[in-house]
Amino acid sequence: MLGTGGIAQWIQDNVVPLILIVIAIGVLWAGNAGNISKAVTKIGVSLVGIAFLAMVVSGSSDDVGQWLVGLVHAG
């Protein structure tokens, strides 16, 4: 039987590592070009994007929110 269950599961299992690889390549490319501010901006925007993706995939916005707060607030 052909269905989308396998594809959906594969995306859930592999989308975050693939996105992180693409982000890492972009940041390294910007850093190599000498544009450090662009690299730092990409990291910040990427973290926000990954947080939203985590909320969508996991359905646990409270845990993701606590993780985001933990990034900027120690204690």
Side-chain angles (χ1 to χ4, degrees):
M1 281 223 132
L2 295 176
T4 58
I7 294 171
Q9 186 61 43
W10 184 87
I11 290 173
Q12 285 182 348
D13 292 343
N14 296 308
V15 73
V16 173
L18 290 173
I19 290 172
L20 290 174
I21 289 170
V22 170
I23 291 168
I25 290 170
V27 169
L28 289 172
W29 192 310
N32 190 30
N35 196 349
I36 300 301
S37 64
K38 186 176 181 181
V40 171
T41 302
K42 283 184 181 184
I43 291 171
V45 171
S46 300
L47 282 175
V48 172
I50 289 171
F52 281 113
L53 181 66
M55 283 190 283
V56 170
V57 172
S58 70
S60 178
S61 59
D62 291 338
D63 293 336
V64 175
Q66 289 177 356
W67 174 75
L68 282 173
V69 170
L71 288 176
V72 295
H73 177 43

